[in-house]
Amino acid sequence: MENGIKKNLLPANGTHWKKWYVPLEEENATIRECLATQAPVAAGSADIPLIVRLIENPKFDIPGINLFNGAVSLEDHDVIHLLLGRGMLPKDEAFVIGFTMGSSNRMSTAEKKMYAFAAKYLYPGPYKFSDDDIAVFKKAAHLGYVSNCQPLDTINCAELMDLSLKEARQRVGIEPDLLAAYYQIESQRFSQFEECLRITPQGREKLEAQINAEKLAG
């Protein structure tokens, strides 16, 4: 990475967690630099409900039994958000979880249905998935399955920390073109949701236009 390259797609300091995201088009910032912008707004493990940790974090697996394939630690989960260019809103979470589980190439149809049931009916409050969130989760699981990337639950995120996003994606085998093509579809299908609009350059322009119009109207 050349010195002096402007990282103009990183969120500003103090960005609210609902607005935090590093888009897929950002390539020059390192994983460490991106995580530093997330640290002030990210939830700690103690803040996450036990049922969510039991299902998604391998630390809580019963020895010899894996509740769901593709479970990762909270720290690795945050890195995967960056590799996939997603924020922290519901459909961002649904996509990151689905893609991670799908990339394991071990997720059965029954397991996919079981996870969707748990997320919709067992998860509390803001962690609960809507039907639209589940639709994104299922699409992401399929995308992770067809991707040629490494299973994301097996990558060593510590080795990626000082790589640029472009280098880290190349190391893991993440295909930005595959993600960008799907993001165009998601952005159009769920255009009423901010997290789906902002994953494409066109969607971000639309969001900016909406914000400017609201300012003028106000």
Side-chain angles (χ1 to χ4, degrees):
M1 181 177 67
E2 297 180 5
N3 292 329
I5 294 178
K6 186 178 180 181
K7 306 176 185 68
N8 58 356
L9 296 180
L10 292 186
N13 290 335
T15 299
H16 191 277
W17 70 267
K18 290 185 177 181
K19 302 291 183 182
W20 183 93
Y21 72 102
V22 178
L24 188 64
E25 290 76 26
E26 173 57 57
E27 296 183 330
N28 299 311
T30 66
I31 296 292
R32 192 182 303 278
E33 289 170 332
C34 293
L35 288 175
T37 70
Q38 184 197 42
V41 296
S45 59
D47 301 319
I48 298 174
L50 178 60
I51 184 63
V52 178
R53 287 182 284 161
L54 282 170
I55 289 175
E56 297 180 10
N57 191 327
K59 176 182 177 182
F60 295 93
D61 283 348
I62 301 170
I65 300 176
N66 199 5
L67 294 179
F68 290 98
N69 288 303
V72 298
S73 69
L74 179 61
E75 294 77 13
D76 289 353
H77 178 74
D78 290 342
V79 172
I80 294 170
H81 271 266
L82 297 170
L83 294 175
L84 300 180
R86 301 298 301 229
M88 299 181 186
L89 290 175
K91 287 166 190 61
D92 293 319
E93 289 292 343
F95 185 86
V96 170
I97 293 168
F99 193 98
T100 303
M101 291 183 173
S103 73
S104 72
N105 294 330
R106 302 188 306 273
M107 191 179 195
S108 66
T109 300
E111 189 175 357
K112 193 184 302 183
K113 290 180 178 178
M114 288 171 59
Y115 179 83
F117 177 89
K120 182 176 180 179
Y121 295 107
L122 301 182
Y123 280 12
Y127 294 91
K128 189 181 296 292
F129 278 17
S130 68
D131 288 339
D132 287 341
D133 299 336
I134 290 172
V136 171
F137 163 77
K138 289 180 177 179
K139 290 290 186 183
H142 176 72
L143 203 67
Y145 178 77
V146 301
S147 171
N148 289 321
C149 69
Q150 298 176 37
L152 297 187
D153 61 329
T154 67
I155 62 176
N156 186 338
C157 289
E159 295 180 350
L160 305 178
M161 294 297 291
D162 293 309
L163 298 181
S164 69
L165 282 170
K166 181 177 181 178
E167 292 167 337
R169 288 170 182 145
Q170 289 174 341
R171 174 80 63 88
V172 174
I174 295 288
E175 303 117 317
D177 290 346
L178 177 68
L179 292 173
Y182 165 76
Y183 287 172
Q184 289 289 342
I185 296 171
E186 183 185 316
S187 185
Q188 293 171 16
R189 181 179 179 186
F190 298 110
S191 59
Q192 71 272 39
F193 296 102
E194 179 177 350
E195 65 264 44
C196 300
L197 268 183
R198 69 191 185 190
I199 54 178
T200 67
Q202 300 91 333
R204 290 196 293 276
E205 290 179 3
K206 184 175 180 179
L207 277 174
E208 185 175 356
Q210 290 174 354
I211 292 171
N212 290 336
E214 290 171 0
K215 288 180 179 178
L216 290 174

